[in-house]
């Protein structure tokens, strides 16, 4: 299971970096570059054996809150198929739905890292057994 999560983390980290690079033509690129690179950084930290529970939880919470703030702008005003019909969003609601989707992907990707069991050597030192 752990090796499957490692492969998933590598793939998602690469996709988040690619997503950050593709934000160059976005009207507000800095926020999107930052959030996608933050996702890649958390995944990279986890791959290197670092404890990333807190950063993963914070990023998931930020992404979930941000996505929820976008929902009123498009919920009920577009059909699900419109999100993927054309590369150029013809209505702002389509762009907002895509942005919310990206944020939800980020949040869901962080969740396994939040709930990972601690490995030996991470966190508080083990208490010695008193005999």
């Amino acid at each position: 299971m752990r090796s499957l999560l490692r492969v998933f983390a590598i793939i998602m980290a690469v996709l988040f970096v690619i997503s950050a690079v593709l934000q160059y033509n976005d009207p507000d690129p800095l926020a999107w570059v930052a959030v996608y690179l933050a996702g890649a950084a958390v995944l990279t930290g986890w791959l290197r054996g670092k404890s990333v529970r807190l950063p993963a939880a914070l990023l998931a919470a930020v992404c979930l809150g941000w996505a929820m703030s976008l929902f009123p702008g498009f919920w009920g005003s577009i059909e699900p198929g419109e999100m993927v019909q054309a590369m150029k969003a013809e209505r702002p609601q389509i762009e907002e739905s895509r942005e919310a989707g990206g944020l939800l992907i980020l949040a869901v990707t962080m969740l396994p890292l939040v709930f990972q069991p601690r490995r030996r050597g991470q966190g508080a030192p083990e208490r010695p057994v008193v005999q």
Side-chain angles (χ1 to χ4, degrees), residues 62-98:
V62 166
C63 290
L64 191 58
W66 191 357
M68 292 300 135
S69 75
L70 296 174
F71 269 66
F74 69 86
W75 195 257
S77 63
I78 64 167
E79 296 294 322
E82 288 182 90
M83 289 175 61
V84 294
Q85 283 180 346
M87 284 302 292
K88 181 167 175 54
E90 296 172 10
R91 296 186 300 153
Q93 295 88 351
I94 295 171
E95 180 68 19
E96 287 180 345
S97 69
R98 290 176 181 171

Coordinates of all heavy atoms in Angstrom, one line a residue, residues 62-98:
V62 N -7.3 25.0 3.3 CA -7.3 26.2 2.5 C -8.0 25.9 1.2 O -8.8 26.7 0.7 CB -5.9 26.7 2.3 CG1 -5.8 27.8 1.2 CG2 -5.4 27.3 3.6
C63 N -7.6 24.8 0.5 CA -8.1 24.4 -0.8 C -9.6 24.2 -0.7 O -10.4 24.6 -1.6 CB -7.4 23.2 -1.4 SG -5.7 23.6 -1.9
L64 N -10.0 23.5 0.3 CA -11.5 23.2 0.5 C -12.3 24.4 0.7 O -13.3 24.7 0.1 CB -11.7 22.2 1.6 CG -13.0 21.6 1.8 CD1 -13.5 20.9 0.5 CD2 -13.1 20.6 3.0
G65 N -11.8 25.3 1.6 CA -12.5 26.6 1.8 C -12.5 27.5 0.6 O -13.6 28.1 0.3
W66 N -11.4 27.5 -0.1 CA -11.4 28.3 -1.4 C -12.3 27.8 -2.4 O -13.1 28.5 -3.1 CB -9.9 28.3 -1.9 CG -9.6 29.3 -3.0 CD1 -10.4 30.1 -3.7 CD2 -8.3 29.5 -3.6 NE1 -9.7 30.8 -4.6 CE2 -8.4 30.4 -4.6 CE3 -7.1 28.9 -3.4 CZ2 -7.4 30.8 -5.4 CZ3 -6.0 29.3 -4.1 CH2 -6.1 30.3 -5.1
A67 N -12.3 26.4 -2.6 CA -13.3 25.8 -3.5 C -14.7 26.1 -3.1 O -15.5 26.4 -4.0 CB -13.0 24.3 -3.6
M68 N -15.0 26.0 -1.9 CA -16.4 26.2 -1.4 C -16.8 27.7 -1.7 O -18.0 28.0 -2.0 CB -16.6 25.9 0.1 CG -16.5 24.4 0.4 SD -17.7 23.5 -0.5 CE -16.8 22.1 -1.1
S69 N -15.8 28.6 -1.6 CA -16.1 30.0 -1.9 C -16.5 30.2 -3.3 O -17.1 31.2 -3.7 CB -15.0 30.9 -1.4 OG -13.9 30.9 -2.3
L70 N -16.0 29.4 -4.2 CA -16.3 29.5 -5.6 C -17.6 28.9 -6.1 O -18.2 29.2 -7.1 CB -15.1 28.9 -6.5 CG -13.8 29.5 -6.3 CD1 -12.7 28.6 -7.1 CD2 -13.8 30.9 -6.8
F71 N -18.1 27.9 -5.3 CA -19.3 27.2 -5.6 C -20.5 28.1 -5.9 O -21.2 27.8 -6.9 CB -19.6 26.2 -4.6 CG -19.0 24.8 -4.8 CD1 -17.7 24.6 -4.8 CD2 -19.8 23.7 -5.1 CE1 -17.1 23.4 -5.0 CE2 -19.2 22.5 -5.3 CZ -17.9 22.3 -5.3
P72 N -20.8 29.1 -5.1 CA -22.0 29.9 -5.5 C -21.9 30.6 -6.8 O -23.0 30.9 -7.4 CB -22.0 31.0 -4.4 CG -21.3 30.4 -3.2 CD -20.2 29.5 -3.9
G73 N -20.7 30.8 -7.4 CA -20.6 31.5 -8.6 C -21.0 30.6 -9.8 O -21.2 31.1 -10.9
F74 N -21.0 29.3 -9.7 CA -21.3 28.4 -10.8 C -22.3 27.4 -10.5 O -22.9 26.8 -11.5 CB -20.0 27.8 -11.4 CG -19.4 26.8 -10.5 CD1 -19.8 25.5 -10.5 CD2 -18.4 27.1 -9.6 CE1 -19.2 24.5 -9.7 CE2 -17.8 26.2 -8.7 CZ -18.2 24.9 -8.8
W75 N -22.6 27.1 -9.3 CA -23.4 25.9 -8.9 C -24.8 26.2 -9.5 O -25.5 27.2 -9.3 CB -23.5 25.8 -7.4 CG -24.1 24.4 -7.1 CD1 -25.4 24.2 -6.7 CD2 -23.5 23.2 -7.1 NE1 -25.6 22.9 -6.4 CE2 -24.4 22.2 -6.7 CE3 -22.2 22.8 -7.4 CZ2 -24.1 20.9 -6.6 CZ3 -21.9 21.4 -7.4 CH2 -22.9 20.5 -6.9
G76 N -25.3 25.2 -10.4 CA -26.6 25.3 -11.0 C -26.7 26.1 -12.2 O -27.7 26.1 -12.9
S77 N -25.6 26.8 -12.6 CA -25.6 27.6 -13.8 C -24.9 27.0 -15.0 O -24.9 27.6 -16.1 CB -25.0 29.0 -13.5 OG -23.7 28.9 -13.2
I78 N -24.2 25.8 -14.8 CA -23.6 25.2 -15.9 C -23.9 23.7 -15.8 O -24.2 23.1 -14.8 CB -22.0 25.4 -15.9 CG1 -21.4 24.8 -14.7 CG2 -21.7 26.8 -16.0 CD1 -19.9 24.6 -14.8
E79 N -23.7 23.0 -16.9 CA -23.9 21.6 -17.0 C -22.5 21.0 -16.8 O -21.5 21.6 -17.2 CB -24.4 21.2 -18.4 CG -25.8 21.7 -18.7 CD -26.8 21.0 -17.8 OE1 -26.7 19.8 -17.5 OE2 -27.8 21.7 -17.4
P80 N -22.4 19.8 -16.2 CA -21.1 19.2 -15.9 C -20.2 19.1 -17.2 O -19.0 19.3 -17.1 CB -21.4 17.9 -15.3 CG -22.7 18.1 -14.7 CD -23.4 19.1 -15.5
G81 N -20.8 18.8 -18.3 CA -20.1 18.6 -19.5 C -19.4 19.9 -20.1 O -18.4 19.8 -20.8
E82 N -19.9 21.0 -19.7 CA -19.4 22.3 -20.1 C -18.0 22.5 -19.6 O -17.2 23.3 -20.2 CB -20.3 23.4 -19.7 CG -21.6 23.5 -20.5 CD -22.4 24.7 -20.0 OE1 -22.3 25.8 -20.6 OE2 -23.2 24.6 -19.1
M83 N -17.7 21.9 -18.5 CA -16.3 22.1 -17.9 C -15.2 21.7 -18.8 O -14.1 22.2 -18.8 CB -16.2 21.4 -16.6 CG -17.0 22.0 -15.5 SD -16.9 21.0 -14.0 CE -15.2 21.0 -13.6
V84 N -15.5 20.7 -19.7 CA -14.4 20.0 -20.5 C -14.7 20.2 -22.0 O -13.9 19.6 -22.8 CB -14.3 18.6 -20.1 CG1 -13.8 18.4 -18.7 CG2 -15.6 17.8 -20.3
Q85 N -15.7 20.9 -22.4 CA -16.0 21.0 -23.8 C -14.9 21.7 -24.6 O -14.6 21.3 -25.7 CB -17.3 21.7 -24.1 CG -18.5 20.7 -23.8 CD -19.8 21.4 -24.0 OE1 -19.9 22.6 -24.1 NE2 -20.9 20.6 -24.0
A86 N -14.4 22.8 -24.1 CA -13.4 23.6 -24.9 C -12.3 24.1 -23.9 O -12.6 24.3 -22.7 CB -14.1 24.8 -25.6
M87 N -11.1 24.3 -24.4 CA -10.0 24.8 -23.6 C -10.3 26.2 -23.1 O -10.1 26.5 -21.9 CB -8.7 24.7 -24.3 CG -8.1 23.4 -24.4 SD -7.8 22.6 -22.8 CE -6.5 23.6 -22.1
K88 N -10.8 27.0 -23.9 CA -11.1 28.4 -23.5 C -12.5 28.4 -22.9 O -13.5 28.1 -23.5 CB -11.0 29.3 -24.7 CG -11.3 30.8 -24.4 CD -10.9 31.7 -25.5 CE -11.3 33.1 -25.3 NZ -10.8 33.7 -24.1
A89 N -12.5 28.9 -21.7 CA -13.8 29.0 -21.0 C -14.6 30.2 -21.6 O -14.1 31.3 -21.6 CB -13.6 29.2 -19.5
E90 N -15.8 29.9 -22.1 CA -16.6 31.0 -22.7 C -17.4 31.8 -21.7 O -17.9 32.8 -22.1 CB -17.4 30.3 -23.8 CG -16.6 29.7 -24.9 CD -17.4 28.9 -25.9 OE1 -18.6 29.0 -25.9 OE2 -16.8 28.2 -26.7
R91 N -17.6 31.2 -20.5 CA -18.3 31.9 -19.5 C -17.5 31.9 -18.2 O -16.8 30.9 -17.9 CB -19.7 31.3 -19.3 CG -20.6 31.4 -20.5 CD -22.0 30.9 -20.2 NE -22.0 29.5 -19.8 CZ -22.9 29.0 -19.1 NH1 -23.9 29.7 -18.6 NH2 -22.9 27.7 -18.8
P92 N -17.6 32.9 -17.4 CA -16.8 32.9 -16.1 C -17.2 31.7 -15.2 O -16.4 31.2 -14.4 CB -17.1 34.2 -15.5 CG -18.1 34.9 -16.3 CD -18.3 34.1 -17.5
Q93 N -18.4 31.3 -15.3 CA -18.8 30.1 -14.4 C -18.1 28.9 -14.8 O -17.8 28.1 -13.9 CB -20.4 29.9 -14.6 CG -21.2 31.0 -14.1 CD -21.5 32.0 -15.2 OE1 -20.9 32.0 -16.3 NE2 -22.4 32.9 -14.9
I94 N -17.7 28.7 -16.0 CA -17.0 27.5 -16.4 C -15.6 27.6 -15.8 O -15.0 26.6 -15.3 CB -16.9 27.4 -18.0 CG1 -18.3 27.1 -18.5 CG2 -16.0 26.3 -18.4 CD1 -18.4 27.2 -20.0
E95 N -14.9 28.8 -15.9 CA -13.6 29.0 -15.3 C -13.6 28.7 -13.8 O -12.8 28.0 -13.3 CB -13.1 30.4 -15.6 CG -11.7 30.7 -15.1 CD -10.6 29.9 -15.7 OE1 -10.8 29.4 -16.8 OE2 -9.5 29.8 -15.1
E96 N -14.7 29.2 -13.1 CA -14.8 29.0 -11.7 C -15.0 27.5 -11.3 O -14.4 27.1 -10.3 CB -15.9 29.9 -11.1 CG -15.6 31.3 -11.0 CD -16.7 32.1 -10.4 OE1 -17.9 31.6 -10.3 OE2 -16.5 33.3 -10.1
S97 N -15.7 26.8 -12.1 CA -15.9 25.4 -11.8 C -14.6 24.6 -12.0 O -14.3 23.7 -11.3 CB -17.0 24.8 -12.7 OG -16.6 24.8 -14.1
R98 N -13.9 25.0 -13.0 CA -12.6 24.3 -13.2 C -11.6 24.6 -12.1 O -10.9 23.8 -11.6 CB -11.9 24.8 -14.6 CG -12.7 24.2 -15.8 CD -12.1 24.8 -17.0 NE -12.8 24.3 -18.2 CZ -12.6 24.8 -19.4 NH1 -11.7 25.7 -19.6 NH2 -13.3 24.3 -20.4

